């Protein structure tokens, strides 16, 4: 493709803008994955990745994209016909449930309006009603990338505890890891799964399963067919710094660098930054007079904002303007939101002026696409961004 | 790790020395895998990769390492309990058969001495004896990376035809693709599977399935559990230049560059170069008075040479010397060859002087490790390498 | 330094944001500068760079920064004691004149208020008054990087012609080349000098002299001491694709890529883009109620905007806020403008949203630094940027 | 140019094989050279480079290639008409003397046979004979890159001391710095000049002057015309981490990485490695029965070996074979050695197997080019390389 001047604004909710430090790291010469040098690398990232999940337990790394982590979480903990509880909070929750069904699980789906997260009370109610403890796992998407809604994991955990139900808690943290507060151990999550191309600031190609002791116990009895995703040989090999099959070595170089960057900034600061930039984004959206997809104040996503279009206006036409005129990618509405919503990604290696440029691009595109809106969104966001960062 | 001067000699049979052109290509900023720009990339590599397989049919690309391609080839064409015929020509053939068993196939294994390839006559005999056509697939490792033996695929195909048996032919071309003559269409292969980190000169992280029409038909009835590896959604999405889930975008950038390099040199020249460098390697090994693992002249691998140690000498001790004194990685003996053999990789982005340096390193290491051998291997190889390239 | 999230906004008027394509190009392995491969590279860039200068004549490339090009232009065309006419339109014009004095030229300096360019009428008057034709060269800074004023070169040429004066016209195009309309041949410039780190989108380290036939004739009689900067051996060596001493090979790799990018976009489009983004910048500055350094409408620079601070407010304090709070570098006031002005660079590989982010950063910083201003600059700029690009 | 498989062997005596760590470092985004971040970088490299020169005094860094450092050393310490003593030990010594003459110095040249270094006794004799102390400086090329002869600097210093002569000692260390033992302070060198593209393992584009207190005193009275090369503003600006004009920022990123690599290996180990690899090279050359250009055992260069061709055989024909058949660049004979000698570079980021590959390439090329020689050079070198590294 011919050159378009200046940097592309990759404002989809992942893949995110990969920092050049990470890009240079993955450009290192590939090494022998059976060498001592590799073992040093692997042990290092396997250990340091734990802090991002807030876990002391093992994190498994697959050479795969996030969809593989979905599959891995299920096939390692469940058996054919097992019942799982799923909440369709959006397109990705829907797809994960579909995957579960496809591999032979009995999926109970709780529908939502796609504008709010998993309701902890509902979780408690359903589990209390599950008298014979048939439900083996609860599947929750932490941050629904298709809508911009973040489910309240801590409260969901409390609800499960209140119901006294032994189901495993399986959490999709693909677009929350490294950006939104997430505590694998403290919140009693059994499998937290994720991918490399969002908050970890890497290209796609790595996926993760952080696993609890209970999950590992479940693995021993899980009968779903598995080979590539099998935790067993992976845990064994990882113990000495190796993998049971060829890992994606160059992405591991990138992971090492990304972990260093997260440590340099500090995970708490990273989380606060995402929250701050998300607030400024919502200030702009509100000023434009457009509704966010998310309807609950405490569930707004810190990593992306889903915006609903006025009736009769096509989100994809708007996105086309942003792309053609301003060299910016915005996220499309997915599934039932196709054409009705667009998504602004504001996660990963991101800062105030990148967001400002992004919001300017959205505001101009709204005008050019003839979408009814109030001007002044950018101005409102600037006022917010210029306020003290720790406010 | 502290700096060791000069370039590392990565002479394992993969991952291979990734050319810096490819490393720079994968360091390009990640793009939106739902964008028009991505579709241009995807269509380009999906089309051009076919030539490397010598096929006009589709090639599927998974964000995974080669092991995933093994699984994909099986789960897309077979059903639980299906009988498959496997030949244990080495460690990788053994592992693939083990995988087949683990996912529920009925694997008939033909053992070998690990020093020769699949015997076409044996194939014909077994298939002729399979009166009720219970064997649904024949699994062949084209180039056994653990031994340095290349099976005679064309003759195997002819044997299957002679037997008039309808079994699918599934071929592991992980270490042959892009280095050894391989003709998916002409030889009637049903699935040719491969990975990125050998002859394609990429880091690990991509794997491939080239599929015949018969394979696609088999897919419609295949009942093995699958989701990530499912050809169906992949073929559908690929048609418009997309993937059903997030692809390993940056490795696709690298693939585009690697394909260009293969085209610049010409696939025939690439194959001839591998053959030429392999011959020079064997000339050296013979001069040292050491036996190759491979015992059949027509089955010597063009991409690696497995060398047997004299009784009482440890191949891993030799490899340690090569690593510590000469900053060179050699391949270990695997499985039953552990400690008894070492492997010299001479594939990928490789040339005469890289091979010469490699053989010098092996010859010096043999001396330093106290391995009984004749000097003069390097000299003999140089005489061969200096001869006309087209001889 | 620890990681600061997101991209740095490098909004000084050079070095500019180097595109990652160029950065990858300069990361290619260094080659033998006496090889055939190098000659192909050198001939290619030596030929293609001419179009950027709008010349059919030779362009010399020095491994040096722009200051070296200043010296080269003088020592190759003049002799000790020669009189030259210089216009102090800003700090860089002042420094060039100082250099001329230091190497033994007799420099006649015309002062200005640093807020306008070289006055063509004044040029004509002075040259008409130079009855004995003592003035050997007129030194003009095309775009004064310290102020944001672009001198009207075409009119200056016409003035020299009108005066019928034979002085050479030496032009500093360090910050105009590749960004502002510049016609070496058509405007009868004798030496157009430049550097790599502005419109050419490269790191610093290359400098250029485009030379007319008259300049080459002057070289034959020029007596100023020279060796490194001597055009003679350079022109001879260049003829066959080589250099008289080791060139900065890797920056030449970058130049090749940058030229391709300029060709892809089209030089006319590049110039129009700079003009458009500069206009939007001035719209913002005016809305803030701040004066630009430049006072003449037809002399506003398309590559940077110098902004004067209100009395009693320190430009460097403002720049500190921009740097610390928003990870953005703005240009300092230089020389007599130190502390009194700041400079917004908007050149090179740059686009609408990068500018929008930049202006947002300036507007927020003005507020945070307590600089009296009207809000609304960003909004005004957006209205302009959203207007048709070809308006 | 189309792809040639495998790595190029860049075995000229500079530019050397730039390590990929350094290439990635120079691919970092260019930063503002007036920023605090830059000052941290500049102070760091300005301090750490001293250890490579073995000096506690300042080292000046120019954005230029080595030729610029030649000029800088002279124009900063001398005045027009000053007499300097030069020894034509080869082509580079000749060119430096020529440069000195061109800028107005009175150069006394001592001729040699180009096969040995500067004779310390001769230095002493000439200086003793210079009764009126007219000689202001002695110019010595430490390692003559055109021949492979290293002059005995320590003994030259002692000779100057013995003569009690106050002349400055100016040393060209372009191809010795970072590879050959060199002690600026201990040996009383006044200016040690160098470039980036040899032992420092960088691309060309930086040059260096390490300066003594006496040199700085000389600077105060030196009248040769200078501006770009003037130490004065450079020393002043460096004190706070800046440069008087735009530095070659990206090469400074590379320098930072290269210094780290030298420190990791240890300068003493680096020097020993070069000596060891050079010895192995000479063992090969002797076995081939070819004379080295250098005739004195104690003056053989550790960084390159100049080899004389048998009468009637063209070195450039040999080099063409090496390039076309083996993708290896060898150094040409220069000046009076054109066609009569070739040069093997073995410096920089280099190791045993790279040398082994190089020597194999030379031995095969000798055969293919029909150059009379004994086989067995490689074998002899391997025997030497396999001996204990510390022998």
């Amino acid at each position: 493709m011919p050159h378009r001047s200046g940097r592309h604004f990759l404002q989809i909710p992942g893949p995110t803008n990969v920092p050049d430090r990470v890009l240079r790291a993955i450009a290192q010469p590939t090494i022998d994955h059976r060498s001592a040098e590799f073992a040093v690398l692997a042990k290092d990232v396997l250990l340091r990745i734990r802090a991002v999940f807030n876990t002391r337990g093992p994190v498994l790394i697959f050479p795969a994209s996030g969809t593989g982590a979905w599959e891995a979480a299920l096939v390692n903990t469940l058996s054919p016909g097992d019942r799982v509880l799923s909440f369709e909070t959006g397109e990705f929750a829907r797809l994960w449930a579909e995957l579960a069904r496809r591999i032979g699980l009995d999926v109970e789906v709780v529908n939502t309006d796609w504008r709010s997260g998993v309701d902890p009370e509902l979780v408690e109610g359903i589990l209390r009603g599950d008298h014979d403890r048939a439900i083996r796992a609860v599947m929750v998407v932490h941050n629904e990338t298709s809508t911009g809604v973040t489910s309240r994991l801590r409260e969901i955990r409390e609800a499960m505890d209140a119901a006294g139900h032994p189901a495993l808690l399986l959490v999709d943290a693909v677009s929350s890891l490294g950006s939104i507060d997430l505590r694998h151990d403290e919140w009693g999550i059994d499998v937290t799964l994720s991918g490399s191309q969002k908050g970890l600031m890497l290209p796609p190609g790595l996926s993760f399963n952080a696993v609890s002791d209970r999950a590992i116990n479940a693995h021993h009895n899980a009968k779903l067919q598995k080979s590539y995703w099998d935790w067993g040989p992976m845990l064994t090999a990882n113990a000495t710094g190796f993998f049971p099959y060829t890992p994606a070595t160059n992405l591991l170089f990138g992971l090492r660098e990304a972990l260093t960057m997260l440590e340099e900034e500090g995970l708490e600061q990273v989380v606060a930054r995402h929250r701050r930039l998300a607030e400024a984004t919502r200030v702009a959206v509100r000023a434009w007079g457009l509704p966010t997809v998310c309807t609950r104040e405490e569930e707004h996503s810190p990593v992306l904002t889903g915006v609903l279009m006025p009736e009769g206006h096509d989100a994809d036409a708007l996105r086309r303007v942003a792309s053609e005129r301003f060299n910016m990618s915005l996220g499309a509405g997915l599934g039932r939101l196709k054409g009705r919503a667009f998504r602004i990604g504001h996660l990963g290696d991101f800062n105030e002026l990148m967001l400002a440029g992004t919001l300017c691009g959205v505001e101009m595109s709204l005008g050019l696409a003839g979408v009814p809106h109030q001007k002044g969104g950018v101005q409102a966001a600037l006022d917010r961004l210029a306020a003290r960062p720790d406010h």
Side-chain angles (χ1 to χ4, degrees), chain A:
Chain A
M1 292 212 148
H3 174 58
R4 296 189 64 182
S5 63
R7 295 199 69 81
H8 180 66
F9 274 63
L10 185 67
Q11 300 316 135
I12 56 173
T16 60
N17 295 284
V18 180
D20 56 77
R21 275 175 66 174
V22 169
L23 290 172
R24 284 195 306 276
I26 67 171
Q28 289 176 79
T30 308
I31 58 173
D32 178 3
H33 56 284
R34 304 286 175 204
S35 68
E37 184 184 358
F38 181 85
V40 170
L41 164 68
K43 283 181 186 170
D44 178 60
V45 297
L46 286 166
L47 185 66
R48 291 201 288 149
I49 188 72
R50 295 181 182 193
V52 188
F53 285 90
N54 276 304
T55 184
R56 296 179 164 206
V59 177
L60 296 104
I61 307 180
F62 297 97
S65 54
T67 302
W70 271 352
E71 190 166 338
L74 300 174
V75 297
N76 279 288
T77 55
L78 298 163
S79 297
D82 274 357
R83 164 161 280 216
V84 295
L85 178 61
S86 162
F87 296 82
E88 192 188 301
T89 51
E91 179 69 1
F92 288 98
R94 190 185 71 72
L95 287 168
W96 192 18
E98 188 181 303
L99 186 160
R101 246 187 323 265
R102 200 179 316 133
I103 62 175
L105 295 171
D106 173 18
V107 186
E108 177 177 343
V109 174
V110 178
N111 285 307
T112 80
D113 60 358
W114 282 35
R115 303 190 64 178
S116 53
V118 174
D119 180 351
E121 287 183 40
L122 199 52
V123 172
E124 185 174 340
I126 294 170
L127 293 183
R128 281 192 191 277
D130 179 35
H131 301 296
D132 51 359
R133 302 315 196 211
I135 294 172
R136 308 301 299 263
V138 178
M139 297 162 62
V140 175
V141 172
H142 186 198
N143 184 72
E144 178 52 67
T145 317
S146 66
T147 62
V149 175
T150 307
S151 283
R152 289 162 284 154
L153 270 184
R154 183 199 296 265
E155 297 174 41
I156 292 165
R157 171 77 267 167
E158 289 165 357
M160 292 175 70
D161 291 346
H165 195 289
L168 295 169
L169 175 56
L170 311 182
V171 171
D172 168 339
V174 169
S175 61
S176 63
L177 185 79
S179 305
I180 304 180
D181 191 23
L182 170 73
R183 308 185 186 187
H184 180 83
D185 287 0
E186 186 182 331
W187 297 348
I189 307 173
D190 294 299
V191 183
T192 305
L193 65 92
S194 197
S196 52
Q197 76 274 22
K198 311 270 180 174
L200 288 181
M201 309 179 290
L202 290 162
L206 293 182
S207 63
F208 305 90
N209 275 187
V211 298
S212 71
D213 288 345
R214 290 186 68 221
I216 291 175
N217 283 337
H219 172 259
H220 297 139
N221 303 310
K223 298 278 187 299
L224 278 170
Q225 171 201 315
K226 59 187 153 289
S227 174
Y228 193 82
W229 311 114
D230 196 343
W231 293 346
M234 193 72 98
L235 285 169
T236 306
N238 281 180
T240 52
F242 295 105
F243 287 87
Y245 46 79
T246 312
T249 307
N250 289 53
L251 290 175
L252 295 177
F253 289 144
L255 178 57
R256 178 167 56 185
E257 186 73 14
L259 290 171
T260 299
M261 292 172 77
L262 289 173
E263 290 164 6
E264 281 175 6
E265 187 175 358
L267 198 54
E268 246 177 272
Q269 281 70 35
V270 171
V271 166
R273 169 169 56 83
H274 279 85
R275 207 165 38 220
R276 195 165 69 240
L277 297 178
E279 285 166 3
T281 305
R282 291 197 299 277
V283 162
V285 173
R286 272 197 289 269
W288 292 326
L290 298 174
T292 56
V293 176
C294 179
T295 52
R296 293 184 64 105
E297 187 54 32
E298 69 275 35
E299 293 183 339
H300 280 301
S301 167
V303 306
L304 81 144
T305 301
V307 183
L308 284 177
M309 296 292 283
E311 201 63 44
H313 290 272
D314 179 11
D316 292 338
L318 172 77
R319 290 173 53 246
R320 216 152 30 235
V321 168
S323 168
E324 288 169 8
R325 276 295 300 277
F326 302 116
N327 200 3
M328 173 166 66
S329 295
L330 293 171
L334 297 178
R336 66 166 77 155
L337 291 173
K338 170 138 190 56
R340 295 179 46 218
F342 66 94
R343 296 171 296 145
I344 305 169
H346 33 73
L347 74 161
D349 188 46
F350 202 60
N351 62 24
E352 283 81 359
L353 299 194
M354 293 169 85
L355 176 62
T358 299
L359 296 176
C360 288
V362 174
E363 184 160 331
M364 287 191 287
S365 298
L366 287 169
L368 287 164
V371 179
H373 72 289
Q374 308 293 323
K375 282 194 178 183
V378 169
Q379 186 66 59
L382 296 186
D383 291 345
R384 170 59 66 104
L385 287 171
R388 289 194 53 74
D390 50 3
H391 101 131

